[in-house]
Amino acid sequence: MRDLKSAIRTHLYQGPIDPDTVATITSALETATRTLETSMTDTQAGDLTLTAIADVPTPSASKYLQQLCKHFQHKRPVNFDAQHGEISFAIGTCRLDANDQTLTLTLAARNEEEMEQLKDVVVRHLVRFAFREDIPIEWRD
């Protein structure tokens, strides 16, 4: 990154950057981004041996699913629509399924410590988004 900053600074001192240089810099940034995203999703499905499931009763299941996914998509790989979502964390995954009355959370992690961290992260955020409700979250392992 330091080399990239230095190269850009040098080119800026020399005057406007030509289109070929812009293309080269863009390509380098895209490659770095892909590498970073890959390293952030170092959890492979085969490594995840523990699961925990919680059925959260709420008429706002789809709303909370979308809020959680939108919140985490700024830093984590996320896929979602109104009824289903998946968030990939370095310590595991969170799958979300919503229907009219229930938000089902399915967590997968490699070990107990990471499972507890994953539960903590998901619950803290869900409780924050659902502050108007007192939602019970009980995990089945």
Side-chain angles (χ1 to χ4, degrees):
M1 187 58 106
R2 191 172 63 234
D3 293 339
L4 179 60
K5 287 180 183 178
S6 176
I8 292 172
R9 194 174 300 119
T10 299
H11 280 292
L12 288 175
Y13 286 134
Q14 295 172 356
I17 300 175
D18 64 273
D20 289 339
T21 303
V22 170
T24 301
I25 292 170
T26 301
S27 176
L29 289 172
E30 288 171 349
T31 300
T33 299
R34 280 192 299 277
T35 301
L36 182 59
E37 287 174 346
T38 300
S39 71
M40 291 174 69
T41 59
D42 59 0
T43 304
Q44 300 298 318
D47 296 338
L48 305 176
T49 57
L50 297 178
T51 59
I53 301 169
D55 294 315
V56 182
T58 175
S60 302
S62 178
K63 174 184 170 184
Y64 297 146
L65 178 153
Q66 292 176 70
Q67 282 182 299
L68 283 164
C69 289
K70 286 177 184 177
H71 174 77
F72 284 112
Q73 77 180 357
H74 297 289
K75 296 183 178 180
R76 310 298 320 157
V78 173
N79 291 307
F80 72 99
D81 59 31
Q83 282 77 40
H84 307 285
E86 184 162 340
I87 306 166
S88 295
F89 296 91
I91 58 173
T93 61
C94 174
R95 195 175 73 234
L96 306 98
D97 296 289
N99 63 35
D100 291 340
Q101 296 297 317
T102 306
L103 175 62
T104 300
L105 306 169
T106 305
L107 305 182
R110 288 180 287 249
N111 57 54
E112 287 290 335
E113 180 182 345
E114 290 179 347
M115 178 61 77
E116 290 307 311
Q117 291 174 353
L118 195 54
K119 286 179 182 178
D120 179 61
V121 168
V122 172
V123 169
R124 278 188 295 113
H125 285 83
L126 179 57
V127 167
R128 187 180 330 150
F129 293 133
F131 67 93
R132 290 182 182 90
E133 293 184 59
D134 182 25
I135 55 172
I137 303 171
E138 295 182 25
W139 296 101
R140 305 187 304 274
D141 296 325

